[in-house]
Amino acid sequence: MTTLDPTVEGALPETEAAGRGNHPPGTFRVCATTGLTVDLAAEKFIKINAVFAVVFLLLGGIAALLLALTRWSAVHLLNAEWYYRMTTFHGLNMLILWILFMEIGILYFAATALLKSRLASVKAGWAGFACMAVGAIMLDAVILAGKADVMMTSYVPLRAHPTFYLAIILVAVGTLIGVINFLATVYIAKRDKTYSGSVPLVVFGAITAAIIAVSTLLHGAGIMIPTFLWSIDVIDHVDPAAYRLVWWGLGHQSQQVNVAAMVSVWYLLGTLTVGAKVLNQGVSRTAFLLYILFINLASAHHLLVDPGVSAGWKIWNTSYAMYLAVLASMIHGYTVPAAVEVALRKQGHTKGLFGWLGAAPWKNPGFSGFFLSLLIFGFIGGITGVTLGTEQINIIAHNTLRIPGHFHATVVGGTSLAFMALAYYVVPLIFRREFPLRWMCRAQPYVFAAGIVLMSLGMSFAGSYGVSRRSWDVEASGALHPVSYDPSVHVWLGVLGIGGSLAFVGLLMFVVPTVLAVFFGKRVEAKMPAW
Amino acid sequence: MTKEEKSGDLIEKESEHRGDGLHHAPGTFTLTLILLVSFVVYYFANWKALADVWHVR
C-alpha cells in the first residue's frame, strides 16, 4: 500500500493525486494491490464495524454450538430456560448484529473506495456506530440477564424487559444513520463527479441493499416503538396479528438486505479473485431492481398459516410476487458464475465443460468461500426456499425444522460465508495486516461449508418428519396429546448436531486467524501477498 | 486479469463495459440445468408428500 501523505515514504506523485475523486489532500491512500482509493476516515469505520461484527459472530456462534448440542437429542445439553435464552441470543447476534455491522462496513467501502469519494459525514459515522454499539451491548446484556426469553421474533403477547425493545430501536436508528451516511456519500460522489457513467454494479447492489434497509428499518420502527410503549405500560395492547404482519416487514426484509449485500460481495470477489467482468450490466441491474420491488411482498410467506390475512392475499404475494424476487436471485445465480467462467476461459482454461472450474483458485479462501456460498445459497437455500414458500406446500412444513434448514443455507451458508470470504481481502487491504495460519484460512471455507450443509440437511430431514422448529423437547413429553416421530428423526438430529459442531469449528478457524491478523499480524507494506 | 489490470481499474471501467453480447459459458449453463432438475424433483416430491397427507375426496 502507498499513501498520498507526502510525509510518508512511498508517497504517490502529485499528478496521480490530482485524479483522486473529491478527497482533500492527506485524507486518503491508494491501495497498491487493487488501485482503489481508500478514504482514511471511512477506513476507520470499516475497521471498527468489522471488529464488532466478528465479536458478535463469535458470541452468536458459541450460542449456536450450545443449541446444536441441545437439538441433538442424544446430547440435549441445555435446560429449557437456557435453550430459549440461547435461541434468542443466537438469532439476534447472528441475524442482526454480525450482519448489520458487517453491512455498514461494506456500504462505507462501496461508497468511498469504489466511487473515489470522501465519506459524507464523519460525525454521522460516529453517531450511527455509537447507537449500534450501545444498542447491541444492551441487547446482549438484557438477554443474558434472563429478562428477554422471547426468541428473536418476540411475538406479542410474549413480553420482554423494555430494555430489549429499546436496544433493538437503538441498533435500528444507528443502522439508519449509517445507511443515510452511505446514501449521502453516493450523492456527493455524483455531485463532485468522482466517477464517470453509471455507478459500478457492486455499488448499485449496495444501493439496493440500502434502499431495502430503509424500508426494513421503517417497519422495525413501526412495530418496535409501540411494543416498547406496551412494555412500559404506556399503551395497553398490541394486536398479535398486526405485530406479525409488520414485524416480518422487518424480519424478512432484513434478510433481503443480506441477500443484496451478499450478491454485491459475489460480484466484488469475482473481480478480486479471478478478474471476472459483469456479463451484462442491464440484466444484473434489473435483477437488483426486482429485489427492491418484490422482496417485501415475499415476506408474506411467514404468514401463510395466519388466520388474519386472506387466501387471495397469501397466494398473490407468495405465488406471484415472490417469484419475481426469486427470478432476481436466479439471474445473479447465473451471471456471477458465468462471469467467472468467461474470465477463466479467457485465461486459457478451456478444457471441457468444467475445466475452468477445476482450474479456479480453490486454495484462495476468498474464491472458495465465495463460490461455495453461491452453490449452497442456490442449491440448498434457493430450492428449499421456493418450495417452502409455495402456499399449499407450506402447510406440511410451516414451523417445522425444515424452515431453519432452509434459512441456515441462505443466511449462514450464503451470506455469512460470503462475508467471511470478503474478510480474507478486507484484512490485508483495509487493516493492512497479513493473515497468519494461512493453511487454516485455506481450509476454513470447506470446513464451515461442510458443517452448514450437514446441519441444514439434518434440520430439513428431521423437519420433514414433523419435528418442530423451536421446541426444546422434541418428544413433547407431558403433552396432553402424545407426540411420536419416526425413530429416524434422531439420526437426522444427530446429523444436525454434528454439522453444527463442525460449522462451529469452521467459525473458529475464521475468527482465530482474523483476530491474530488484525491485532498481531505482520504489516502489509506494499502489495497484498497473493492467496 | 493481467498484472497491469488491477481489480480497482476493472470495477472503475465496468460501467463502460456493456457486456460481451454472446458469452461462452457452457459449464455454468450445465450447472443451471442441474439446479433446475434438482428443483423440479424436490418441488414435485413435496407436492406428492402433500397429496399423501392431505387427501382430496
Side-chain angles (χ1 to χ4, degrees), chain A residues 401-414:
Chain A
L401 256 181
R402 287 180 72 183
I403 307 301
H406 152 71
F407 70 68
H408 279 85
T410 56
V411 182
V412 192

Side-chain angles (χ1 to χ4, degrees), chain A residues 32 34 116 201 279 281 341 402, chain B residues 8 12 14 19 27-28 42 46:
Chain A
T34 61
K116 286 189 287 188
L201 185 64
L279 294 180
Q281 292 283 335
E341 180 177 357
R402 287 180 72 183
Chain B
E12 191 178 335
E14 186 194 270
T28 305
Y42 188 77
N46 273 273

Side-chain angles (χ1 to χ4, degrees), chain A residues 325-349:
Chain A
V326 171
L327 176 64
S329 290
M330 291 179 74
I331 290 171
H332 294 304
Y334 175 78
T335 57
V336 173
V340 169
E341 180 177 357
V342 169
L344 288 170
R345 282 183 183 277
K346 276 187 181 168
Q347 291 166 26
H349 306 295

Side-chain angles (χ1 to χ4, degrees), chain A residues 293-352:
Chain A
L293 295 174
F294 295 104
I295 213 79
N296 186 28
L297 306 181
S299 62
H301 67 257
H302 292 279
L303 309 174
L304 284 175
V305 298
D306 278 34
V309 283
S310 70
W313 183 89
K314 292 172 185 174
I315 291 169
W316 158 250
N317 282 305
T318 60
S319 294
Y320 292 90
M322 191 180 87
Y323 295 146
L324 293 170
V326 171
L327 176 64
S329 290
M330 291 179 74
I331 290 171
H332 294 304
Y334 175 78
T335 57
V336 173
V340 169
E341 180 177 357
V342 169
L344 288 170
R345 282 183 183 277
K346 276 187 181 168
Q347 291 166 26
H349 306 295
T350 54
K351 192 179 172 187

Side-chain angles (χ1 to χ4, degrees), chain A residues 189-271:
Chain A
K190 177 81 177 166
R191 184 197 63 192
D192 298 344
K193 298 185 174 58
T194 61
Y195 61 94
S196 57
S198 308
V199 294
L201 185 64
V202 176
V203 181
F204 192 88
I207 293 171
T208 302
I211 291 170
I212 302 172
V214 171
S215 168
T216 303
L217 295 165
L218 291 177
H219 279 84
I223 199 60
M224 279 298 151
I225 291 171
T227 311
F228 169 67
L229 295 174
W230 167 70
S231 75
I232 56 173
D233 294 323
V234 172
I235 59 176
D236 63 357
H237 179 70
V238 175
D239 182 81
Y243 178 94
R244 286 170 59 83
L245 179 67
V246 183
W247 193 90
W248 279 111
L250 161 73
H252 189 76
Q253 275 199 109
S254 59
Q255 304 321 308
Q256 306 315 315
V257 179
N258 301 344
V259 170
M262 173 191 71
V263 172
S264 305
V265 168
W266 286 350
Y267 281 112
L268 179 63
L269 285 172
T271 304

